[in-house]
Structure formats: C-alpha cells, structure tokens
Amino acid sequence: MKLTIWNWIVYRIANDGIALLARFFFPLKIVGRELIPKEGGLLIVSNHISGFDPPLIHSSVPRRTHTMAKGKLFDNKFLKWFMVTVGTIAVDRVQFRKAIMSAVSLLQEGHCVLIFPEGTRGKDGILKKGDWGAVAIALRSNCTIVPATIVGSNKIFPPGSKFIKRLPIEIRFGKPYRIPHASNGKHVPSEVLMQETMILMEKIEALLPVHMRPSVEQKKEWYKIPAAGNVHN
C-alpha cells in the first residue's frame, strides 16, 4: 500500500490525537506494549466489545497499523475518506477474499495489521467464537501474531447513555508467536485452520479476566474439528 505524505499526516494527527485524548480522559492502562515487535509483518488479533476498540488499540501500538473494519462503515462518505486515507481494510462478504489478500500483501511487506476475529462486537463482553480468517492470513503471509485484549471499553458508552463515561480501560498485548505449520498458506487443511484458530483464541482468552472468558462447553461446541479437507484461500 503506497503511503503518501498526506496519508502520513492524517494518520499521525488521528492516531496521536486519539492516544493523547485516551490517556488524559480515561484511566488507561497498557500492559505488554514492549512485547510488540518493532519490525516485520505483524498481525495483532484482539477481542471486540465496543466501537471504541479499534482506535484505542490502534493508538496503543507503537508502529503504523492497518485495521480491518466492517465494510458497512465505508457507506458513510466522511468515514470512508478517513479510513481509506489512514489505510483501513474494508471487510465484507462480497469482497472477503480481497480483504484477506490486502492484509496478506501488507504483512508480506513488513507492515502491521489489526484484526478482530469474532467478526462483531460481543454485547455481554464475553469472548465469542473466532473466525478462521486471522489464521488464514497469518499462514499465507508467514507473519508473527500478537494476541491482544481490551477490557472496560464496553462500559464507557453503554446503550441509553448521552455522554461518554470516564471509566478505566485496560489493553493487554501477549507474547508474539508464529504458527508452526509447513505450508505456503494456499491450501491449508480445514482441521489445521480450526485447530490453530482455537489455539489463537485461547491465547486471547488467557489475557482476559475470568468473567470475560467463554465456558468449556461453548468452546467444545465452537471448535469441533471437521472432517479432513482443504480450505482454498
């Protein structure tokens, strides 16, 4: 993705502005920031509980980051201009493959990408089933993964509220790792995608407080290993 001076200026103003406001307005705690690799393709994978999550996590990463966001957000003309300018990747059912390949391309070029594998916000704050898209991207690009979590963002502007509440928010980054699967990422067995997605989500879960973790029964139902087969990306 080509980066112009204009893109960089808008990105820096937005990212640094959000970071500054967040640190002054909220009791914001960031844990594990030093674990984030400073260079090389990096996929940050986080839980998702609020519309505030993308900018808050994004601004906590000490390197330029491209966020994968719902394509519906691009329906708004201003948001579309802004997100395109700062390098956001649109994700929707129609162009799902295009979004994956855009992320893979950025990672292969050594950039950082932020993704929310649950696909939507969890209204109750409990971690939901993860989609295999994050694992497919990581395998295809052979990048490093950093699990991440955000806690408290779903309470700062609950339904019915007229104002944002000044409540504590905590963002955690886990240890970076790579998926040890010998593949070029083009033809990945479906059972490998499911297994690695479960492992990734468990790494995210380990960073969350107990009350935000799914039950053992839920995980058994979510991550049933399917019959052998290949998923073509």
Side-chain angles (χ1 to χ4, degrees), residues 198-223:
M198 181 179 69
I199 291 172
L200 170 57
M201 296 308 289
E202 286 181 340
K203 288 180 181 292
I204 293 174
E205 179 186 338
L207 298 172
L208 288 169
V210 176
H211 71 275
M212 292 180 68
R213 299 177 184 180
S215 67
V216 174
E217 290 71 25
Q218 285 177 309
K219 290 188 289 183
K220 285 182 179 180
E221 178 64 28
W222 293 341
Y223 302 113

PDB file of all heavy atoms in Angstrom, residues 198-223:
ATOM      1  N   MET A 198      -8.507 -22.147  17.336  1.00  0.00           N
ATOM      2  CA  MET A 198      -8.789 -22.438  18.739  1.00  0.00           C
ATOM      3  C   MET A 198      -7.601 -22.047  19.618  1.00  0.00           C
ATOM      4  O   MET A 198      -7.769 -21.437  20.677  1.00  0.00           O
ATOM      5  CB  MET A 198      -9.098 -23.921  18.924  1.00  0.00           C
ATOM      6  CG  MET A 198      -9.420 -24.310  20.370  1.00  0.00           C
ATOM      7  SD  MET A 198      -9.807 -26.072  20.554  1.00  0.00           S
ATOM      8  CE  MET A 198      -8.184 -26.782  20.232  1.00  0.00           C
ATOM      9  N   ILE A 199      -6.393 -22.363  19.161  1.00  0.00           N
ATOM     10  CA  ILE A 199      -5.184 -22.023  19.913  1.00  0.00           C
ATOM     11  C   ILE A 199      -5.035 -20.508  20.042  1.00  0.00           C
ATOM     12  O   ILE A 199      -4.733 -19.981  21.113  1.00  0.00           O
ATOM     13  CB  ILE A 199      -3.938 -22.626  19.225  1.00  0.00           C
ATOM     14  CG1 ILE A 199      -3.949 -24.149  19.355  1.00  0.00           C
ATOM     15  CG2 ILE A 199      -2.650 -22.051  19.830  1.00  0.00           C
ATOM     16  CD1 ILE A 199      -2.873 -24.850  18.548  1.00  0.00           C
ATOM     17  N   LEU A 200      -5.279 -19.802  18.935  1.00  0.00           N
ATOM     18  CA  LEU A 200      -5.183 -18.340  18.939  1.00  0.00           C
ATOM     19  C   LEU A 200      -6.193 -17.726  19.915  1.00  0.00           C
ATOM     20  O   LEU A 200      -5.853 -16.842  20.707  1.00  0.00           O
ATOM     21  CB  LEU A 200      -5.422 -17.801  17.528  1.00  0.00           C
ATOM     22  CG  LEU A 200      -5.589 -16.282  17.371  1.00  0.00           C
ATOM     23  CD1 LEU A 200      -4.381 -15.545  17.925  1.00  0.00           C
ATOM     24  CD2 LEU A 200      -5.819 -15.929  15.916  1.00  0.00           C
ATOM     25  N   MET A 201      -7.433 -18.208  19.860  1.00  0.00           N
ATOM     26  CA  MET A 201      -8.468 -17.664  20.736  1.00  0.00           C
ATOM     27  C   MET A 201      -8.178 -17.979  22.205  1.00  0.00           C
ATOM     28  O   MET A 201      -8.522 -17.201  23.097  1.00  0.00           O
ATOM     29  CB  MET A 201      -9.838 -18.202  20.330  1.00  0.00           C
ATOM     30  CG  MET A 201     -10.284 -17.782  18.923  1.00  0.00           C
ATOM     31  SD  MET A 201     -10.208 -15.984  18.614  1.00  0.00           S
ATOM     32  CE  MET A 201     -11.562 -15.417  19.652  1.00  0.00           C
ATOM     33  N   GLU A 202      -7.534 -19.104  22.465  1.00  0.00           N
ATOM     34  CA  GLU A 202      -7.165 -19.445  23.844  1.00  0.00           C
ATOM     35  C   GLU A 202      -6.065 -18.515  24.353  1.00  0.00           C
ATOM     36  O   GLU A 202      -6.009 -18.195  25.543  1.00  0.00           O
ATOM     37  CB  GLU A 202      -6.718 -20.902  23.934  1.00  0.00           C
ATOM     38  CG  GLU A 202      -7.880 -21.892  23.833  1.00  0.00           C
ATOM     39  CD  GLU A 202      -7.446 -23.334  23.938  1.00  0.00           C
ATOM     40  OE1 GLU A 202      -6.233 -23.618  23.708  1.00  0.00           O
ATOM     41  OE2 GLU A 202      -8.305 -24.191  24.244  1.00  0.00           O
ATOM     42  N   LYS A 203      -5.194 -18.074  23.461  1.00  0.00           N
ATOM     43  CA  LYS A 203      -4.149 -17.118  23.852  1.00  0.00           C
ATOM     44  C   LYS A 203      -4.771 -15.762  24.188  1.00  0.00           C
ATOM     45  O   LYS A 203      -4.324 -15.068  25.107  1.00  0.00           O
ATOM     46  CB  LYS A 203      -3.120 -16.975  22.716  1.00  0.00           C
ATOM     47  CG  LYS A 203      -2.215 -18.192  22.540  1.00  0.00           C
ATOM     48  CD  LYS A 203      -1.223 -17.978  21.403  1.00  0.00           C
ATOM     49  CE  LYS A 203      -0.330 -19.193  21.204  1.00  0.00           C
ATOM     50  NZ  LYS A 203       0.593 -19.404  22.338  1.00  0.00           N
ATOM     51  N   ILE A 204      -5.813 -15.389  23.441  1.00  0.00           N
ATOM     52  CA  ILE A 204      -6.534 -14.153  23.734  1.00  0.00           C
ATOM     53  C   ILE A 204      -7.283 -14.310  25.060  1.00  0.00           C
ATOM     54  O   ILE A 204      -7.244 -13.434  25.922  1.00  0.00           O
ATOM     55  CB  ILE A 204      -7.523 -13.813  22.597  1.00  0.00           C
ATOM     56  CG1 ILE A 204      -6.755 -13.462  21.317  1.00  0.00           C
ATOM     57  CG2 ILE A 204      -8.445 -12.654  22.998  1.00  0.00           C
ATOM     58  CD1 ILE A 204      -7.633 -13.264  20.100  1.00  0.00           C
ATOM     59  N   GLU A 205      -7.936 -15.446  25.216  1.00  0.00           N
ATOM     60  CA  GLU A 205      -8.698 -15.725  26.441  1.00  0.00           C
ATOM     61  C   GLU A 205      -7.826 -15.648  27.693  1.00  0.00           C
ATOM     62  O   GLU A 205      -8.254 -15.134  28.737  1.00  0.00           O
ATOM     63  CB  GLU A 205      -9.321 -17.120  26.335  1.00  0.00           C
ATOM     64  CG  GLU A 205     -10.117 -17.531  27.556  1.00  0.00           C
ATOM     65  CD  GLU A 205     -10.583 -18.969  27.480  1.00  0.00           C
ATOM     66  OE1 GLU A 205     -10.670 -19.525  26.360  1.00  0.00           O
ATOM     67  OE2 GLU A 205     -10.867 -19.551  28.551  1.00  0.00           O
ATOM     68  N   ALA A 206      -6.593 -16.143  27.590  1.00  0.00           N
ATOM     69  CA  ALA A 206      -5.677 -16.156  28.735  1.00  0.00           C
ATOM     70  C   ALA A 206      -5.341 -14.752  29.226  1.00  0.00           C
ATOM     71  O   ALA A 206      -4.938 -14.570  30.380  1.00  0.00           O
ATOM     72  CB  ALA A 206      -4.394 -16.903  28.370  1.00  0.00           C
ATOM     73  N   LEU A 207      -5.519 -13.744  28.359  1.00  0.00           N
ATOM     74  CA  LEU A 207      -5.227 -12.358  28.731  1.00  0.00           C
ATOM     75  C   LEU A 207      -6.436 -11.653  29.352  1.00  0.00           C
ATOM     76  O   LEU A 207      -6.319 -10.541  29.857  1.00  0.00           O
ATOM     77  CB  LEU A 207      -4.770 -11.569  27.492  1.00  0.00           C
ATOM     78  CG  LEU A 207      -3.478 -12.034  26.805  1.00  0.00           C
ATOM     79  CD1 LEU A 207      -3.296 -11.276  25.485  1.00  0.00           C
ATOM     80  CD2 LEU A 207      -2.275 -11.832  27.700  1.00  0.00           C
ATOM     81  N   LEU A 208      -7.587 -12.313  29.294  1.00  0.00           N
ATOM     82  CA  LEU A 208      -8.828 -11.722  29.790  1.00  0.00           C
ATOM     83  C   LEU A 208      -9.113 -12.111  31.242  1.00  0.00           C
ATOM     84  O   LEU A 208      -8.700 -13.185  31.690  1.00  0.00           O
ATOM     85  CB  LEU A 208     -10.012 -12.187  28.932  1.00  0.00           C
ATOM     86  CG  LEU A 208     -10.128 -11.620  27.516  1.00  0.00           C
ATOM     87  CD1 LEU A 208     -11.185 -12.389  26.736  1.00  0.00           C
ATOM     88  CD2 LEU A 208     -10.473 -10.131  27.552  1.00  0.00           C
ATOM     89  N   PRO A 209      -9.852 -11.264  31.968  1.00  0.00           N
ATOM     90  CA  PRO A 209     -10.288 -11.648  33.313  1.00  0.00           C
ATOM     91  C   PRO A 209     -11.264 -12.815  33.201  1.00  0.00           C
ATOM     92  O   PRO A 209     -11.907 -12.993  32.155  1.00  0.00           O
ATOM     93  CB  PRO A 209     -10.961 -10.382  33.846  1.00  0.00           C
ATOM     94  CG  PRO A 209     -11.334  -9.607  32.629  1.00  0.00           C
ATOM     95  CD  PRO A 209     -10.268  -9.891  31.627  1.00  0.00           C
ATOM     96  N   VAL A 210     -11.410 -13.598  34.252  1.00  0.00           N
ATOM     97  CA  VAL A 210     -12.232 -14.814  34.227  1.00  0.00           C
ATOM     98  C   VAL A 210     -13.662 -14.554  33.756  1.00  0.00           C
ATOM     99  O   VAL A 210     -14.233 -15.351  33.000  1.00  0.00           O
ATOM    100  CB  VAL A 210     -12.250 -15.471  35.625  1.00  0.00           C
ATOM    101  CG1 VAL A 210     -13.184 -16.678  35.627  1.00  0.00           C
ATOM    102  CG2 VAL A 210     -10.850 -15.907  36.027  1.00  0.00           C
ATOM    103  N   HIS A 211     -14.272 -13.438  34.181  1.00  0.00           N
ATOM    104  CA  HIS A 211     -15.679 -13.196  33.838  1.00  0.00           C
ATOM    105  C   HIS A 211     -15.909 -12.893  32.355  1.00  0.00           C
ATOM    106  O   HIS A 211     -17.058 -12.841  31.906  1.00  0.00           O
ATOM    107  CB  HIS A 211     -16.257 -12.059  34.696  1.00  0.00           C
ATOM    108  CG  HIS A 211     -15.724 -10.701  34.344  1.00  0.00           C
ATOM    109  ND1 HIS A 211     -14.539 -10.202  34.854  1.00  0.00           N
ATOM    110  CD2 HIS A 211     -16.213  -9.731  33.526  1.00  0.00           C
ATOM    111  CE1 HIS A 211     -14.331  -8.992  34.367  1.00  0.00           C
ATOM    112  NE2 HIS A 211     -15.330  -8.685  33.571  1.00  0.00           N
ATOM    113  N   MET A 212     -14.822 -12.709  31.582  1.00  0.00           N
ATOM    114  CA  MET A 212     -14.967 -12.443  30.154  1.00  0.00           C
ATOM    115  C   MET A 212     -14.581 -13.648  29.295  1.00  0.00           C
ATOM    116  O   MET A 212     -14.536 -13.559  28.071  1.00  0.00           O
ATOM    117  CB  MET A 212     -14.098 -11.233  29.759  1.00  0.00           C
ATOM    118  CG  MET A 212     -14.585  -9.918  30.355  1.00  0.00           C
ATOM    119  SD  MET A 212     -13.558  -8.495  29.874  1.00  0.00           S
ATOM    120  CE  MET A 212     -13.915  -8.380  28.110  1.00  0.00           C
ATOM    121  N   ARG A 213     -14.351 -14.776  29.948  1.00  0.00           N
ATOM    122  CA  ARG A 213     -13.952 -15.983  29.232  1.00  0.00           C
ATOM    123  C   ARG A 213     -15.160 -16.884  28.950  1.00  0.00           C
ATOM    124  O   ARG A 213     -16.048 -17.002  29.786  1.00  0.00           O
ATOM    125  CB  ARG A 213     -12.913 -16.758  30.046  1.00  0.00           C
ATOM    126  CG  ARG A 213     -11.634 -15.974  30.311  1.00  0.00           C
ATOM    127  CD  ARG A 213     -10.677 -16.768  31.178  1.00  0.00           C
ATOM    128  NE  ARG A 213      -9.485 -15.977  31.510  1.00  0.00           N
ATOM    129  CZ  ARG A 213      -8.486 -16.417  32.263  1.00  0.00           C
ATOM    130  NH1 ARG A 213      -8.547 -17.644  32.778  1.00  0.00           N
ATOM    131  NH2 ARG A 213      -7.449 -15.639  32.516  1.00  0.00           N
ATOM    132  N   PRO A 214     -15.181 -17.524  27.774  1.00  0.00           N
ATOM    133  CA  PRO A 214     -16.293 -18.427  27.453  1.00  0.00           C
ATOM    134  C   PRO A 214     -16.182 -19.718  28.263  1.00  0.00           C
ATOM    135  O   PRO A 214     -15.107 -20.042  28.784  1.00  0.00           O
ATOM    136  CB  PRO A 214     -16.110 -18.680  25.954  1.00  0.00           C
ATOM    137  CG  PRO A 214     -14.630 -18.536  25.745  1.00  0.00           C
ATOM    138  CD  PRO A 214     -14.219 -17.420  26.665  1.00  0.00           C
ATOM    139  N   SER A 215     -17.266 -20.462  28.358  1.00  0.00           N
ATOM    140  CA  SER A 215     -17.256 -21.716  29.108  1.00  0.00           C
ATOM    141  C   SER A 215     -16.584 -22.826  28.309  1.00  0.00           C
ATOM    142  O   SER A 215     -16.449 -22.730  27.075  1.00  0.00           O
ATOM    143  CB  SER A 215     -18.682 -22.143  29.440  1.00  0.00           C
ATOM    144  OG  SER A 215     -19.385 -22.494  28.246  1.00  0.00           O
ATOM    145  N   VAL A 216     -16.185 -23.864  28.975  1.00  0.00           N
ATOM    146  CA  VAL A 216     -15.565 -25.020  28.318  1.00  0.00           C
ATOM    147  C   VAL A 216     -16.547 -25.637  27.336  1.00  0.00           C
ATOM    148  O   VAL A 216     -16.173 -26.049  26.236  1.00  0.00           O
ATOM    149  CB  VAL A 216     -15.129 -26.070  29.367  1.00  0.00           C
ATOM    150  CG1 VAL A 216     -14.622 -27.331  28.671  1.00  0.00           C
ATOM    151  CG2 VAL A 216     -14.046 -25.500  30.278  1.00  0.00           C
ATOM    152  N   GLU A 217     -17.814 -25.695  27.716  1.00  0.00           N
ATOM    153  CA  GLU A 217     -18.852 -26.271  26.857  1.00  0.00           C
ATOM    154  C   GLU A 217     -19.003 -25.477  25.560  1.00  0.00           C
ATOM    155  O   GLU A 217     -19.163 -26.056  24.481  1.00  0.00           O
ATOM    156  CB  GLU A 217     -20.200 -26.304  27.602  1.00  0.00           C
ATOM    157  CG  GLU A 217     -20.293 -27.291  28.738  1.00  0.00           C
ATOM    158  CD  GLU A 217     -19.464 -26.894  29.949  1.00  0.00           C
ATOM    159  OE1 GLU A 217     -19.199 -25.666  30.117  1.00  0.00           O
ATOM    160  OE2 GLU A 217     -19.056 -27.778  30.720  1.00  0.00           O
ATOM    161  N   GLN A 218     -18.955 -24.158  25.675  1.00  0.00           N
ATOM    162  CA  GLN A 218     -19.069 -23.317  24.482  1.00  0.00           C
ATOM    163  C   GLN A 218     -17.916 -23.581  23.522  1.00  0.00           C
ATOM    164  O   GLN A 218     -18.114 -23.714  22.314  1.00  0.00           O
ATOM    165  CB  GLN A 218     -19.075 -21.841  24.887  1.00  0.00           C
ATOM    166  CG  GLN A 218     -20.374 -21.354  25.492  1.00  0.00           C
ATOM    167  CD  GLN A 218     -20.286 -19.913  25.939  1.00  0.00           C
ATOM    168  OE1 GLN A 218     -19.362 -19.517  26.654  1.00  0.00           O
ATOM    169  NE2 GLN A 218     -21.256 -19.101  25.529  1.00  0.00           N
ATOM    170  N   LYS A 219     -16.713 -23.679  24.063  1.00  0.00           N
ATOM    171  CA  LYS A 219     -15.534 -23.892  23.216  1.00  0.00           C
ATOM    172  C   LYS A 219     -15.563 -25.252  22.539  1.00  0.00           C
ATOM    173  O   LYS A 219     -15.147 -25.393  21.387  1.00  0.00           O
ATOM    174  CB  LYS A 219     -14.261 -23.720  24.046  1.00  0.00           C
ATOM    175  CG  LYS A 219     -14.003 -22.279  24.458  1.00  0.00           C
ATOM    176  CD  LYS A 219     -12.650 -22.084  25.105  1.00  0.00           C
ATOM    177  CE  LYS A 219     -12.600 -22.695  26.489  1.00  0.00           C
ATOM    178  NZ  LYS A 219     -11.305 -22.443  27.142  1.00  0.00           N
ATOM    179  N   LYS A 220     -16.070 -26.273  23.234  1.00  0.00           N
ATOM    180  CA  LYS A 220     -16.177 -27.611  22.644  1.00  0.00           C
ATOM    181  C   LYS A 220     -17.134 -27.594  21.468  1.00  0.00           C
ATOM    182  O   LYS A 220     -16.916 -28.277  20.466  1.00  0.00           O
ATOM    183  CB  LYS A 220     -16.648 -28.607  23.698  1.00  0.00           C
ATOM    184  CG  LYS A 220     -15.587 -29.007  24.714  1.00  0.00           C
ATOM    185  CD  LYS A 220     -16.139 -30.037  25.688  1.00  0.00           C
ATOM    186  CE  LYS A 220     -15.068 -30.467  26.688  1.00  0.00           C
ATOM    187  NZ  LYS A 220     -15.597 -31.473  27.656  1.00  0.00           N
ATOM    188  N   GLU A 221     -18.193 -26.806  21.598  1.00  0.00           N
ATOM    189  CA  GLU A 221     -19.178 -26.713  20.529  1.00  0.00           C
ATOM    190  C   GLU A 221     -18.639 -25.908  19.347  1.00  0.00           C
ATOM    191  O   GLU A 221     -18.861 -26.259  18.185  1.00  0.00           O
ATOM    192  CB  GLU A 221     -20.449 -26.046  21.065  1.00  0.00           C
ATOM    193  CG  GLU A 221     -21.550 -25.851  20.027  1.00  0.00           C
ATOM    194  CD  GLU A 221     -22.085 -27.160  19.483  1.00  0.00           C
ATOM    195  OE1 GLU A 221     -22.042 -28.188  20.193  1.00  0.00           O
ATOM    196  OE2 GLU A 221     -22.550 -27.147  18.328  1.00  0.00           O
ATOM    197  N   TRP A 222     -17.913 -24.844  19.643  1.00  0.00           N
ATOM    198  CA  TRP A 222     -17.392 -23.969  18.596  1.00  0.00           C
ATOM    199  C   TRP A 222     -16.308 -24.608  17.747  1.00  0.00           C
ATOM    200  O   TRP A 222     -16.284 -24.457  16.535  1.00  0.00           O
ATOM    201  CB  TRP A 222     -16.818 -22.694  19.216  1.00  0.00           C
ATOM    202  CG  TRP A 222     -17.809 -21.794  19.849  1.00  0.00           C
ATOM    203  CD1 TRP A 222     -19.157 -21.776  19.635  1.00  0.00           C
ATOM    204  CD2 TRP A 222     -17.529 -20.759  20.806  1.00  0.00           C
ATOM    205  NE1 TRP A 222     -19.738 -20.799  20.404  1.00  0.00           N
ATOM    206  CE2 TRP A 222     -18.771 -20.156  21.123  1.00  0.00           C
ATOM    207  CE3 TRP A 222     -16.366 -20.293  21.400  1.00  0.00           C
ATOM    208  CZ2 TRP A 222     -18.866 -19.103  22.022  1.00  0.00           C
ATOM    209  CZ3 TRP A 222     -16.458 -19.239  22.296  1.00  0.00           C
ATOM    210  CH2 TRP A 222     -17.691 -18.652  22.607  1.00  0.00           C
ATOM    211  N   TYR A 223     -15.373 -25.287  18.399  1.00  0.00           N
ATOM    212  CA  TYR A 223     -14.168 -25.728  17.701  1.00  0.00           C
ATOM    213  C   TYR A 223     -14.104 -27.229  17.480  1.00  0.00           C
ATOM    214  O   TYR A 223     -13.082 -27.864  17.707  1.00  0.00           O
ATOM    215  CB  TYR A 223     -12.925 -25.239  18.458  1.00  0.00           C
ATOM    216  CG  TYR A 223     -12.912 -23.736  18.611  1.00  0.00           C
ATOM    217  CD1 TYR A 223     -13.037 -23.148  19.867  1.00  0.00           C
ATOM    218  CD2 TYR A 223     -12.830 -22.899  17.499  1.00  0.00           C
ATOM    219  CE1 TYR A 223     -13.050 -21.761  20.012  1.00  0.00           C
ATOM    220  CE2 TYR A 223     -12.855 -21.527  17.634  1.00  0.00           C
ATOM    221  CZ  TYR A 223     -12.965 -20.955  18.893  1.00  0.00           C
ATOM    222  OH  TYR A 223     -12.994 -19.593  19.035  1.00  0.00           O
TER     223      TYR A 223
END
